[in-house]
Amino acid sequence: MRRLGDLEAEIMYRLWAWGRPASARDVLTDINKQRSLAYSTVKTVADILHHKGMLTRRKEGRAWVYTPTCTRQQYTAALMQDALDDNPDLAGALASFVEQMSTEEVDALRSALRAVKRRSSA
């Protein structure tokens, strides 16, 4: 999975945070609270995300309404998996990654590993 561009990420982060379908106009209104963009720019990027398979869309009146095809967690996991797939030294890459983690991140990793172990044992 390819990393999202800046505006692609802005759009996806909003849709993930909102947890509901939204139109390009909804996204534009929120983005324009921080910086000014044209509707056509947001609409074009949302259409690109749709064609990349990151968003589904359906017509609501005259507007398209967009919904993410994956969660933010699934997207992050896919990026991490791609990075690991490209590395010939998997153990070294993971060790380097863990060394850079904060205490909270290490605790979250331990918790995730325990949860996966419990699910696979059940």
Side-chain angles (χ1 to χ4, degrees):
M1 178 167 292
R2 290 190 343 191
R3 188 171 186 84
L4 296 171
D6 291 343
L7 186 51
E8 290 175 330
E10 275 193 72
I11 291 169
M12 292 301 297
Y13 293 161
R14 280 170 173 78
L15 292 171
W16 284 323
W18 294 340
R20 61 170 173 78
S23 68
R25 178 78 54 205
D26 295 332
V27 174
L28 175 69
T29 299
D30 198 55
I31 288 174
N32 279 345
K33 292 176 185 175
Q34 297 167 344
R35 65 183 177 124
S36 183
L37 284 178
Y39 171 79
S40 59
T41 302
V42 174
K43 175 75 171 82
T44 297
V45 175
D47 287 339
I48 289 168
L49 287 165
H50 168 71
H51 291 293
K52 287 182 175 182
M54 294 291 298
L55 296 174
T56 60
R57 67 181 183 188
R58 64 176 162 65
K59 268 294 204 194
E60 232 179 60
R62 293 177 45 194
W64 288 107
V65 176
Y66 298 91
T67 305
T69 59
C70 66
T71 65
R72 186 170 181 175
Q73 293 78 7
Q74 290 167 327
Y75 168 72
T76 301
L79 289 177
M80 294 167 65
Q81 187 62 58
D82 284 351
L84 292 174
D85 287 345
D86 289 342
N87 197 305
D89 180 9
L90 183 58
L94 288 169
S96 293
F97 181 67
V98 171
E99 287 170 357
Q100 297 175 40
M101 295 173 86
S102 69
T103 303
E104 293 81 18
E105 291 166 335
V106 170
D107 290 344
L109 177 59
R110 285 187 178 120
S111 177
L113 290 170
R114 282 191 300 272
V116 168
K117 187 175 181 179
R118 280 192 302 271
R119 282 196 303 262
S120 65
S121 298

mmCIF file of all heavy atoms in Angstrom, residues 12-62:
data_model
loop_
_atom_site.group_PDB
_atom_site.id
_atom_site.type_symbol
_atom_site.label_atom_id
_atom_site.label_comp_id
_atom_site.label_asym_id
_atom_site.label_seq_id
_atom_site.Cartn_x
_atom_site.Cartn_y
_atom_site.Cartn_z
ATOM 1 N N MET A 12 -8.650 11.533 4.424
ATOM 2 C CA MET A 12 -8.861 10.243 5.076
ATOM 3 C C MET A 12 -8.935 10.391 6.592
ATOM 4 O O MET A 12 -9.780 9.769 7.237
ATOM 5 C CB MET A 12 -7.754 9.257 4.689
ATOM 6 C CG MET A 12 -7.779 8.831 3.236
ATOM 7 S SD MET A 12 -9.312 8.040 2.703
ATOM 8 C CE MET A 12 -9.338 6.577 3.731
ATOM 9 N N TYR A 13 -8.059 11.208 7.199
ATOM 10 C CA TYR A 13 -8.073 11.377 8.653
ATOM 11 C C TYR A 13 -9.410 11.927 9.126
ATOM 12 O O TYR A 13 -9.926 11.502 10.163
ATOM 13 C CB TYR A 13 -6.937 12.298 9.113
ATOM 14 C CG TYR A 13 -5.543 11.735 8.912
ATOM 15 C CD1 TYR A 13 -4.437 12.561 8.913
ATOM 16 C CD2 TYR A 13 -5.324 10.365 8.713
ATOM 17 C CE1 TYR A 13 -3.161 12.059 8.719
ATOM 18 C CE2 TYR A 13 -4.051 9.857 8.524
ATOM 19 C CZ TYR A 13 -2.974 10.703 8.523
ATOM 20 O OH TYR A 13 -1.706 10.211 8.344
ATOM 21 N N ARG A 14 -9.988 12.835 8.367
ATOM 22 C CA ARG A 14 -11.299 13.367 8.745
ATOM 23 C C ARG A 14 -12.380 12.285 8.648
ATOM 24 O O ARG A 14 -13.179 12.122 9.560
ATOM 25 C CB ARG A 14 -11.653 14.552 7.849
ATOM 26 C CG ARG A 14 -10.986 15.825 8.282
ATOM 27 C CD ARG A 14 -11.134 16.941 7.278
ATOM 28 N NE ARG A 14 -10.623 18.196 7.809
ATOM 29 C CZ ARG A 14 -9.338 18.520 7.883
ATOM 30 N NH1 ARG A 14 -8.415 17.684 7.467
ATOM 31 N NH2 ARG A 14 -8.957 19.676 8.388
ATOM 32 N N LEU A 15 -12.379 11.561 7.554
ATOM 33 C CA LEU A 15 -13.398 10.518 7.392
ATOM 34 C C LEU A 15 -13.251 9.444 8.462
ATOM 35 O O LEU A 15 -14.252 8.961 9.005
ATOM 36 C CB LEU A 15 -13.325 9.920 5.988
ATOM 37 C CG LEU A 15 -13.742 10.873 4.861
ATOM 38 C CD1 LEU A 15 -13.436 10.267 3.497
ATOM 39 C CD2 LEU A 15 -15.214 11.220 4.973
ATOM 40 N N TRP A 16 -12.024 9.044 8.768
ATOM 41 C CA TRP A 16 -11.814 8.062 9.838
ATOM 42 C C TRP A 16 -12.291 8.609 11.182
ATOM 43 O O TRP A 16 -12.956 7.913 11.940
ATOM 44 C CB TRP A 16 -10.347 7.665 9.922
ATOM 45 C CG TRP A 16 -9.887 6.716 8.856
ATOM 46 C CD1 TRP A 16 -10.599 5.675 8.314
ATOM 47 C CD2 TRP A 16 -8.623 6.701 8.203
ATOM 48 N NE1 TRP A 16 -9.837 5.018 7.369
ATOM 49 C CE2 TRP A 16 -8.624 5.624 7.280
ATOM 50 C CE3 TRP A 16 -7.478 7.483 8.299
ATOM 51 C CZ2 TRP A 16 -7.524 5.314 6.485
ATOM 52 C CZ3 TRP A 16 -6.390 7.183 7.500
ATOM 53 C CH2 TRP A 16 -6.411 6.106 6.599
ATOM 54 N N ALA A 17 -11.958 9.845 11.481
ATOM 55 C CA ALA A 17 -12.339 10.441 12.768
ATOM 56 C C ALA A 17 -13.851 10.596 12.888
ATOM 57 O O ALA A 17 -14.426 10.365 13.955
ATOM 58 C CB ALA A 17 -11.655 11.798 12.948
ATOM 59 N N TRP A 18 -14.501 10.988 11.794
ATOM 60 C CA TRP A 18 -15.943 11.195 11.831
ATOM 61 C C TRP A 18 -16.706 9.885 11.931
ATOM 62 O O TRP A 18 -17.794 9.844 12.491
ATOM 63 C CB TRP A 18 -16.413 11.961 10.600
ATOM 64 C CG TRP A 18 -15.912 13.374 10.534
ATOM 65 C CD1 TRP A 18 -15.437 14.133 11.574
ATOM 66 C CD2 TRP A 18 -15.818 14.198 9.379
ATOM 67 N NE1 TRP A 18 -15.063 15.378 11.121
ATOM 68 C CE2 TRP A 18 -15.288 15.450 9.782
ATOM 69 C CE3 TRP A 18 -16.134 14.009 8.040
ATOM 70 C CZ2 TRP A 18 -15.069 16.501 8.896
ATOM 71 C CZ3 TRP A 18 -15.922 15.057 7.148
ATOM 72 C CH2 TRP A 18 -15.400 16.293 7.577
ATOM 73 N N GLY A 19 -16.164 8.829 11.358
ATOM 74 C CA GLY A 19 -16.839 7.536 11.415
ATOM 75 C C GLY A 19 -18.174 7.498 10.690
ATOM 76 O O GLY A 19 -19.057 6.719 11.043
ATOM 77 N N ARG A 20 -18.327 8.335 9.684
ATOM 78 C CA ARG A 20 -19.572 8.382 8.910
ATOM 79 C C ARG A 20 -19.241 8.801 7.489
ATOM 80 O O ARG A 20 -18.220 9.452 7.248
ATOM 81 C CB ARG A 20 -20.558 9.370 9.519
ATOM 82 C CG ARG A 20 -20.023 10.795 9.537
ATOM 83 C CD ARG A 20 -21.067 11.826 9.921
ATOM 84 N NE ARG A 20 -20.506 13.150 10.089
ATOM 85 C CZ ARG A 20 -20.186 13.983 9.100
ATOM 86 N NH1 ARG A 20 -20.362 13.634 7.842
ATOM 87 N NH2 ARG A 20 -19.688 15.184 9.354
ATOM 88 N N PRO A 21 -20.097 8.469 6.541
ATOM 89 C CA PRO A 21 -19.887 8.938 5.178
ATOM 90 C C PRO A 21 -19.970 10.468 5.130
ATOM 91 O O PRO A 21 -20.668 11.083 5.943
ATOM 92 C CB PRO A 21 -21.042 8.314 4.392
ATOM 93 C CG PRO A 21 -21.531 7.189 5.240
ATOM 94 C CD PRO A 21 -21.265 7.591 6.663
ATOM 95 N N ALA A 22 -19.250 11.051 4.184
ATOM 96 C CA ALA A 22 -19.272 12.514 4.054
ATOM 97 C C ALA A 22 -19.039 12.892 2.596
ATOM 98 O O ALA A 22 -18.397 12.170 1.842
ATOM 99 C CB ALA A 22 -18.208 13.146 4.938
ATOM 100 N N SER A 23 -19.555 14.053 2.242
ATOM 101 C CA SER A 23 -19.369 14.580 0.891
ATOM 102 C C SER A 23 -18.068 15.378 0.829
ATOM 103 O O SER A 23 -17.495 15.749 1.863
ATOM 104 C CB SER A 23 -20.544 15.491 0.521
ATOM 105 O OG SER A 23 -20.506 16.665 1.323
ATOM 106 N N ALA A 24 -17.638 15.658 -0.386
ATOM 107 C CA ALA A 24 -16.459 16.510 -0.567
ATOM 108 C C ALA A 24 -16.715 17.888 0.045
ATOM 109 O O ALA A 24 -15.813 18.500 0.609
ATOM 110 C CB ALA A 24 -16.116 16.629 -2.045
ATOM 111 N N ARG A 25 -17.964 18.361 -0.027
ATOM 112 C CA ARG A 25 -18.313 19.659 0.565
ATOM 113 C C ARG A 25 -18.133 19.618 2.085
ATOM 114 O O ARG A 25 -17.628 20.570 2.681
ATOM 115 C CB ARG A 25 -19.756 20.015 0.199
ATOM 116 C CG ARG A 25 -20.250 21.302 0.780
ATOM 117 C CD ARG A 25 -19.798 22.558 0.106
ATOM 118 N NE ARG A 25 -20.069 22.577 -1.310
ATOM 119 C CZ ARG A 25 -19.366 23.308 -2.181
ATOM 120 N NH1 ARG A 25 -18.375 24.070 -1.756
ATOM 121 N NH2 ARG A 25 -19.646 23.295 -3.464
ATOM 122 N N ASP A 26 -18.543 18.519 2.736
ATOM 123 C CA ASP A 26 -18.348 18.376 4.187
ATOM 124 C C ASP A 26 -16.865 18.472 4.539
ATOM 125 O O ASP A 26 -16.471 19.161 5.483
ATOM 126 C CB ASP A 26 -18.871 17.024 4.683
ATOM 127 C CG ASP A 26 -20.366 16.856 4.534
ATOM 128 O OD1 ASP A 26 -21.101 17.873 4.557
ATOM 129 O OD2 ASP A 26 -20.807 15.697 4.386
ATOM 130 N N VAL A 27 -16.048 17.749 3.779
ATOM 131 C CA VAL A 27 -14.606 17.734 4.023
ATOM 132 C C VAL A 27 -14.027 19.123 3.780
ATOM 133 O O VAL A 27 -13.227 19.627 4.590
ATOM 134 C CB VAL A 27 -13.910 16.672 3.146
ATOM 135 C CG1 VAL A 27 -12.402 16.757 3.284
ATOM 136 C CG2 VAL A 27 -14.412 15.271 3.493
ATOM 137 N N LEU A 28 -14.425 19.751 2.692
ATOM 138 C CA LEU A 28 -13.934 21.089 2.361
ATOM 139 C C LEU A 28 -14.255 22.085 3.471
ATOM 140 O O LEU A 28 -13.391 22.873 3.880
ATOM 141 C CB LEU A 28 -14.545 21.567 1.048
ATOM 142 C CG LEU A 28 -14.202 23.005 0.658
ATOM 143 C CD1 LEU A 28 -12.736 23.125 0.288
ATOM 144 C CD2 LEU A 28 -15.091 23.468 -0.484
ATOM 145 N N THR A 29 -15.477 22.048 3.969
ATOM 146 C CA THR A 29 -15.885 22.964 5.027
ATOM 147 C C THR A 29 -14.978 22.829 6.241
ATOM 148 O O THR A 29 -14.555 23.825 6.836
ATOM 149 C CB THR A 29 -17.360 22.705 5.423
ATOM 150 O OG1 THR A 29 -18.177 22.930 4.268
ATOM 151 C CG2 THR A 29 -17.804 23.612 6.553
ATOM 152 N N ASP A 30 -14.632 21.597 6.585
ATOM 153 C CA ASP A 30 -13.762 21.374 7.738
ATOM 154 C C ASP A 30 -12.325 21.808 7.452
ATOM 155 O O ASP A 30 -11.694 22.453 8.292
ATOM 156 C CB ASP A 30 -13.810 19.904 8.153
ATOM 157 C CG ASP A 30 -13.303 19.696 9.555
ATOM 158 O OD1 ASP A 30 -13.827 20.350 10.485
ATOM 159 O OD2 ASP A 30 -12.355 18.912 9.736
ATOM 160 N N ILE A 31 -11.813 21.467 6.292
ATOM 161 C CA ILE A 31 -10.438 21.868 5.934
ATOM 162 C C ILE A 31 -10.315 23.389 5.885
ATOM 163 O O ILE A 31 -9.319 23.957 6.342
ATOM 164 C CB ILE A 31 -10.018 21.245 4.583
ATOM 165 C CG1 ILE A 31 -9.788 19.741 4.746
ATOM 166 C CG2 ILE A 31 -8.755 21.921 4.042
ATOM 167 C CD1 ILE A 31 -9.501 19.006 3.448
ATOM 168 N N ASN A 32 -11.349 24.050 5.354
ATOM 169 C CA ASN A 32 -11.294 25.515 5.213
ATOM 170 C C ASN A 32 -11.302 26.252 6.543
ATOM 171 O O ASN A 32 -11.087 27.456 6.576
ATOM 172 C CB ASN A 32 -12.408 26.014 4.297
ATOM 173 C CG ASN A 32 -12.043 25.856 2.832
ATOM 174 O OD1 ASN A 32 -10.880 25.644 2.480
ATOM 175 N ND2 ASN A 32 -13.031 25.949 1.964
ATOM 176 N N LYS A 33 -11.504 25.549 7.659
ATOM 177 C CA LYS A 33 -11.361 26.170 8.978
ATOM 178 C C LYS A 33 -9.896 26.468 9.262
ATOM 179 O O LYS A 33 -9.583 27.331 10.078
ATOM 180 C CB LYS A 33 -11.918 25.250 10.060
ATOM 181 C CG LYS A 33 -13.415 25.076 10.013
ATOM 182 C CD LYS A 33 -13.872 24.070 11.050
ATOM 183 C CE LYS A 33 -15.361 23.796 10.940
ATOM 184 N NZ LYS A 33 -15.799 22.732 11.869
ATOM 185 N N GLN A 34 -8.996 25.737 8.588
ATOM 186 C CA GLN A 34 -7.563 25.892 8.827
ATOM 187 C C GLN A 34 -6.829 26.527 7.655
ATOM 188 O O GLN A 34 -5.844 27.220 7.840
ATOM 189 C CB GLN A 34 -6.936 24.539 9.146
ATOM 190 C CG GLN A 34 -7.493 23.933 10.411
ATOM 191 C CD GLN A 34 -7.113 22.479 10.570
ATOM 192 O OE1 GLN A 34 -6.681 21.828 9.640
ATOM 193 N NE2 GLN A 34 -7.291 21.973 11.781
ATOM 194 N N ARG A 35 -7.279 26.220 6.449
ATOM 195 C CA ARG A 35 -6.652 26.788 5.246
ATOM 196 C C ARG A 35 -7.668 26.781 4.114
ATOM 197 O O ARG A 35 -8.640 26.045 4.165
ATOM 198 C CB ARG A 35 -5.399 26.010 4.855
ATOM 199 C CG ARG A 35 -5.648 24.576 4.433
ATOM 200 C CD ARG A 35 -4.311 23.897 4.152
ATOM 201 N NE ARG A 35 -4.482 22.508 3.808
ATOM 202 C CZ ARG A 35 -4.034 21.958 2.694
ATOM 203 N NH1 ARG A 35 -3.388 22.702 1.821
ATOM 204 N NH2 ARG A 35 -4.196 20.686 2.457
ATOM 205 N N SER A 36 -7.418 27.587 3.120
ATOM 206 C CA SER A 36 -8.377 27.741 2.039
ATOM 207 C C SER A 36 -8.041 26.825 0.862
ATOM 208 O O SER A 36 -6.929 26.861 0.342
ATOM 209 C CB SER A 36 -8.387 29.197 1.572
ATOM 210 O OG SER A 36 -9.353 29.367 0.571
ATOM 211 N N LEU A 37 -9.016 26.006 0.480
ATOM 212 C CA LEU A 37 -8.898 25.144 -0.690
ATOM 213 C C LEU A 37 -10.146 25.296 -1.544
ATOM 214 O O LEU A 37 -11.214 25.633 -1.032
ATOM 215 C CB LEU A 37 -8.772 23.671 -0.279
ATOM 216 C CG LEU A 37 -7.448 23.180 0.273
ATOM 217 C CD1 LEU A 37 -7.561 21.714 0.658
ATOM 218 C CD2 LEU A 37 -6.324 23.368 -0.738
ATOM 219 N N ALA A 38 -10.012 24.990 -2.806
ATOM 220 C CA ALA A 38 -11.150 25.014 -3.714
ATOM 221 C C ALA A 38 -11.910 23.693 -3.607
ATOM 222 O O ALA A 38 -11.315 22.636 -3.367
ATOM 223 C CB ALA A 38 -10.680 25.226 -5.150
ATOM 224 N N TYR A 39 -13.217 23.762 -3.812
ATOM 225 C CA TYR A 39 -14.052 22.563 -3.810
ATOM 226 C C TYR A 39 -13.529 21.548 -4.821
ATOM 227 O O TYR A 39 -13.444 20.358 -4.536
ATOM 228 C CB TYR A 39 -15.510 22.921 -4.117
ATOM 229 C CG TYR A 39 -16.376 21.709 -4.350
ATOM 230 C CD1 TYR A 39 -16.846 20.960 -3.278
ATOM 231 C CD2 TYR A 39 -16.702 21.306 -5.643
ATOM 232 C CE1 TYR A 39 -17.634 19.838 -3.486
ATOM 233 C CE2 TYR A 39 -17.484 20.192 -5.859
ATOM 234 C CZ TYR A 39 -17.944 19.454 -4.777
ATOM 235 O OH TYR A 39 -18.702 18.339 -4.988
ATOM 236 N N SER A 40 -13.174 22.035 -6.007
ATOM 237 C CA SER A 40 -12.725 21.119 -7.064
ATOM 238 C C SER A 40 -11.465 20.351 -6.664
ATOM 239 O O SER A 40 -11.292 19.204 -7.062
ATOM 240 C CB SER A 40 -12.488 21.886 -8.374
ATOM 241 O OG SER A 40 -11.513 22.885 -8.191
ATOM 242 N N THR A 41 -10.622 20.954 -5.864
ATOM 243 C CA THR A 41 -9.407 20.276 -5.403
ATOM 244 C C THR A 41 -9.765 19.107 -4.497
ATOM 245 O O THR A 41 -9.272 17.991 -4.678
ATOM 246 C CB THR A 41 -8.488 21.267 -4.660
ATOM 247 O OG1 THR A 41 -8.167 22.347 -5.538
ATOM 248 C CG2 THR A 41 -7.218 20.592 -4.175
ATOM 249 N N VAL A 42 -10.626 19.354 -3.526
ATOM 250 C CA VAL A 42 -11.037 18.300 -2.599
ATOM 251 C C VAL A 42 -11.793 17.214 -3.341
ATOM 252 O O VAL A 42 -11.565 16.009 -3.125
ATOM 253 C CB VAL A 42 -11.873 18.882 -1.435
ATOM 254 C CG1 VAL A 42 -12.422 17.775 -0.544
ATOM 255 C CG2 VAL A 42 -11.032 19.855 -0.625
ATOM 256 N N LYS A 43 -12.677 17.601 -4.239
ATOM 257 C CA LYS A 43 -13.459 16.633 -5.017
ATOM 258 C C LYS A 43 -12.539 15.758 -5.868
ATOM 259 O O LYS A 43 -12.705 14.536 -5.927
ATOM 260 C CB LYS A 43 -14.463 17.383 -5.907
ATOM 261 C CG LYS A 43 -15.258 16.504 -6.838
ATOM 262 C CD LYS A 43 -16.321 15.743 -6.082
ATOM 263 C CE LYS A 43 -17.264 15.014 -6.997
ATOM 264 N NZ LYS A 43 -16.762 13.746 -7.466
ATOM 265 N N THR A 44 -11.559 16.356 -6.511
ATOM 266 C CA THR A 44 -10.618 15.597 -7.346
ATOM 267 C C THR A 44 -9.820 14.605 -6.510
ATOM 268 O O THR A 44 -9.667 13.435 -6.892
ATOM 269 C CB THR A 44 -9.661 16.561 -8.087
ATOM 270 O OG1 THR A 44 -10.439 17.384 -8.958
ATOM 271 C CG2 THR A 44 -8.612 15.805 -8.884
ATOM 272 N N VAL A 45 -9.335 15.031 -5.368
ATOM 273 C CA VAL A 45 -8.544 14.140 -4.510
ATOM 274 C C VAL A 45 -9.426 13.023 -3.948
ATOM 275 O O VAL A 45 -8.994 11.868 -3.868
ATOM 276 C CB VAL A 45 -7.807 14.920 -3.404
ATOM 277 C CG1 VAL A 45 -7.097 13.978 -2.447
ATOM 278 C CG2 VAL A 45 -6.797 15.886 -4.039
ATOM 279 N N ALA A 46 -10.656 13.330 -3.584
ATOM 280 C CA ALA A 46 -11.580 12.283 -3.118
ATOM 281 C C ALA A 46 -11.831 11.263 -4.230
ATOM 282 O O ALA A 46 -11.868 10.048 -3.978
ATOM 283 C CB ALA A 46 -12.890 12.896 -2.644
ATOM 284 N N ASP A 47 -11.976 11.724 -5.459
ATOM 285 C CA ASP A 47 -12.161 10.809 -6.597
ATOM 286 C C ASP A 47 -10.914 9.953 -6.821
ATOM 287 O O ASP A 47 -11.016 8.758 -7.121
ATOM 288 C CB ASP A 47 -12.512 11.584 -7.865
ATOM 289 C CG ASP A 47 -13.931 12.123 -7.846
ATOM 290 O OD1 ASP A 47 -14.765 11.592 -7.077
ATOM 291 O OD2 ASP A 47 -14.205 13.082 -8.600
ATOM 292 N N ILE A 48 -9.744 10.538 -6.658
ATOM 293 C CA ILE A 48 -8.495 9.776 -6.778
ATOM 294 C C ILE A 48 -8.457 8.692 -5.710
ATOM 295 O O ILE A 48 -8.100 7.536 -5.986
ATOM 296 C CB ILE A 48 -7.274 10.714 -6.681
ATOM 297 C CG1 ILE A 48 -7.178 11.578 -7.936
ATOM 298 C CG2 ILE A 48 -5.983 9.925 -6.450
ATOM 299 C CD1 ILE A 48 -6.188 12.735 -7.840
ATOM 300 N N LEU A 49 -8.821 9.040 -4.475
ATOM 301 C CA LEU A 49 -8.850 8.050 -3.389
ATOM 302 C C LEU A 49 -9.857 6.940 -3.691
ATOM 303 O O LEU A 49 -9.622 5.779 -3.367
ATOM 304 C CB LEU A 49 -9.178 8.730 -2.051
ATOM 305 C CG LEU A 49 -8.053 9.569 -1.458
ATOM 306 C CD1 LEU A 49 -8.584 10.482 -0.357
ATOM 307 C CD2 LEU A 49 -6.939 8.678 -0.932
ATOM 308 N N HIS A 50 -10.963 7.299 -4.319
ATOM 309 C CA HIS A 50 -11.944 6.295 -4.730
ATOM 310 C C HIS A 50 -11.331 5.346 -5.759
ATOM 311 O O HIS A 50 -11.448 4.122 -5.636
ATOM 312 C CB HIS A 50 -13.195 6.976 -5.301
ATOM 313 C CG HIS A 50 -14.115 6.037 -5.997
ATOM 314 N ND1 HIS A 50 -14.876 5.099 -5.338
ATOM 315 C CD2 HIS A 50 -14.375 5.872 -7.305
ATOM 316 C CE1 HIS A 50 -15.568 4.401 -6.216
ATOM 317 N NE2 HIS A 50 -15.279 4.854 -7.426
ATOM 318 N N HIS A 51 -10.661 5.894 -6.749
ATOM 319 C CA HIS A 51 -10.056 5.060 -7.801
ATOM 320 C C HIS A 51 -8.896 4.213 -7.266
ATOM 321 O O HIS A 51 -8.619 3.139 -7.809
ATOM 322 C CB HIS A 51 -9.621 5.920 -8.988
ATOM 323 C CG HIS A 51 -10.781 6.496 -9.734
ATOM 324 N ND1 HIS A 51 -11.680 5.724 -10.448
ATOM 325 C CD2 HIS A 51 -11.221 7.766 -9.864
ATOM 326 C CE1 HIS A 51 -12.609 6.485 -10.979
ATOM 327 N NE2 HIS A 51 -12.361 7.737 -10.631
ATOM 328 N N LYS A 52 -8.247 4.672 -6.198
ATOM 329 C CA LYS A 52 -7.176 3.891 -5.560
ATOM 330 C C LYS A 52 -7.742 2.788 -4.660
ATOM 331 O O LYS A 52 -7.003 1.986 -4.130
ATOM 332 C CB LYS A 52 -6.282 4.800 -4.709
ATOM 333 C CG LYS A 52 -5.369 5.695 -5.503
ATOM 334 C CD LYS A 52 -4.502 6.503 -4.554
ATOM 335 C CE LYS A 52 -3.485 7.332 -5.288
ATOM 336 N NZ LYS A 52 -2.628 8.076 -4.338
ATOM 337 N N GLY A 53 -9.057 2.803 -4.445
ATOM 338 C CA GLY A 53 -9.682 1.804 -3.592
ATOM 339 C C GLY A 53 -9.712 2.164 -2.115
ATOM 340 O O GLY A 53 -10.089 1.343 -1.284
ATOM 341 N N MET A 54 -9.370 3.385 -1.781
ATOM 342 C CA MET A 54 -9.372 3.818 -0.383
ATOM 343 C C MET A 54 -10.761 4.283 0.077
ATOM 344 O O MET A 54 -11.056 4.267 1.261
ATOM 345 C CB MET A 54 -8.369 4.964 -0.163
ATOM 346 C CG MET A 54 -6.919 4.579 -0.354
ATOM 347 S SD MET A 54 -6.299 3.459 0.915
ATOM 348 C CE MET A 54 -6.460 4.430 2.399
ATOM 349 N N LEU A 55 -11.593 4.712 -0.884
ATOM 350 C CA LEU A 55 -12.941 5.183 -0.571
ATOM 351 C C LEU A 55 -13.955 4.506 -1.479
ATOM 352 O O LEU A 55 -13.651 4.220 -2.637
ATOM 353 C CB LEU A 55 -13.048 6.709 -0.800
ATOM 354 C CG LEU A 55 -12.204 7.630 0.052
ATOM 355 C CD1 LEU A 55 -12.352 9.073 -0.423
ATOM 356 C CD2 LEU A 55 -12.574 7.518 1.517
ATOM 357 N N THR A 56 -15.140 4.265 -0.937
ATOM 358 C CA THR A 56 -16.282 3.931 -1.777
ATOM 359 C C THR A 56 -17.100 5.211 -1.886
ATOM 360 O O THR A 56 -16.920 6.142 -1.097
ATOM 361 C CB THR A 56 -17.157 2.817 -1.169
ATOM 362 O OG1 THR A 56 -17.656 3.249 0.097
ATOM 363 C CG2 THR A 56 -16.366 1.522 -1.007
ATOM 364 N N ARG A 57 -17.978 5.253 -2.865
ATOM 365 C CA ARG A 57 -18.828 6.434 -2.988
ATOM 366 C C ARG A 57 -20.208 6.012 -3.480
ATOM 367 O O ARG A 57 -20.363 5.004 -4.158
ATOM 368 C CB ARG A 57 -18.212 7.472 -3.913
ATOM 369 C CG ARG A 57 -18.139 7.048 -5.351
ATOM 370 C CD ARG A 57 -17.495 8.094 -6.208
ATOM 371 N NE ARG A 57 -17.525 7.668 -7.598
ATOM 372 C CZ ARG A 57 -16.930 8.263 -8.582
ATOM 373 N NH1 ARG A 57 -16.209 9.345 -8.344
ATOM 374 N NH2 ARG A 57 -17.017 7.809 -9.809
ATOM 375 N N ARG A 58 -21.191 6.818 -3.075
ATOM 376 C CA ARG A 58 -22.553 6.602 -3.552
ATOM 377 C C ARG A 58 -23.182 7.972 -3.730
ATOM 378 O O ARG A 58 -22.816 8.941 -3.052
ATOM 379 C CB ARG A 58 -23.350 5.731 -2.594
ATOM 380 C CG ARG A 58 -23.589 6.317 -1.236
ATOM 381 C CD ARG A 58 -24.475 5.422 -0.365
ATOM 382 N NE ARG A 58 -24.405 5.715 1.032
ATOM 383 C CZ ARG A 58 -24.800 6.839 1.636
ATOM 384 N NH1 ARG A 58 -25.292 7.814 0.937
ATOM 385 N NH2 ARG A 58 -24.694 6.988 2.945
ATOM 386 N N LYS A 59 -24.110 8.017 -4.678
ATOM 387 C CA LYS A 59 -24.793 9.277 -4.958
ATOM 388 C C LYS A 59 -25.831 9.556 -3.884
ATOM 389 O O LYS A 59 -26.588 8.683 -3.491
ATOM 390 C CB LYS A 59 -25.519 9.196 -6.296
ATOM 391 C CG LYS A 59 -24.767 9.658 -7.505
ATOM 392 C CD LYS A 59 -24.472 11.112 -7.503
ATOM 393 C CE LYS A 59 -24.292 11.536 -8.953
ATOM 394 N NZ LYS A 59 -23.704 12.835 -9.054
ATOM 395 N N GLU A 60 -25.841 10.780 -3.413
ATOM 396 C CA GLU A 60 -26.870 11.271 -2.508
ATOM 397 C C GLU A 60 -27.328 12.602 -3.082
ATOM 398 O O GLU A 60 -26.614 13.590 -2.963
ATOM 399 C CB GLU A 60 -26.313 11.429 -1.094
ATOM 400 C CG GLU A 60 -27.150 10.750 -0.050
ATOM 401 C CD GLU A 60 -26.569 10.908 1.334
ATOM 402 O OE1 GLU A 60 -26.421 12.050 1.813
ATOM 403 O OE2 GLU A 60 -26.278 9.867 1.938
ATOM 404 N N GLY A 61 -28.460 12.574 -3.749
ATOM 405 C CA GLY A 61 -28.884 13.771 -4.485
ATOM 406 C C GLY A 61 -27.936 13.979 -5.649
ATOM 407 O O GLY A 61 -27.692 13.070 -6.432
ATOM 408 N N ARG A 62 -27.331 15.149 -5.709
ATOM 409 C CA ARG A 62 -26.384 15.448 -6.783
ATOM 410 C C ARG A 62 -24.935 15.238 -6.359
ATOM 411 O O ARG A 62 -24.030 15.354 -7.173
ATOM 412 C CB ARG A 62 -26.578 16.891 -7.248
ATOM 413 C CG ARG A 62 -27.926 17.083 -7.927
ATOM 414 C CD ARG A 62 -28.185 18.504 -8.346
ATOM 415 N NE ARG A 62 -27.025 19.112 -8.998
ATOM 416 C CZ ARG A 62 -26.887 20.397 -9.216
ATOM 417 N NH1 ARG A 62 -27.837 21.232 -8.842
ATOM 418 N NH2 ARG A 62 -25.828 20.877 -9.813
#
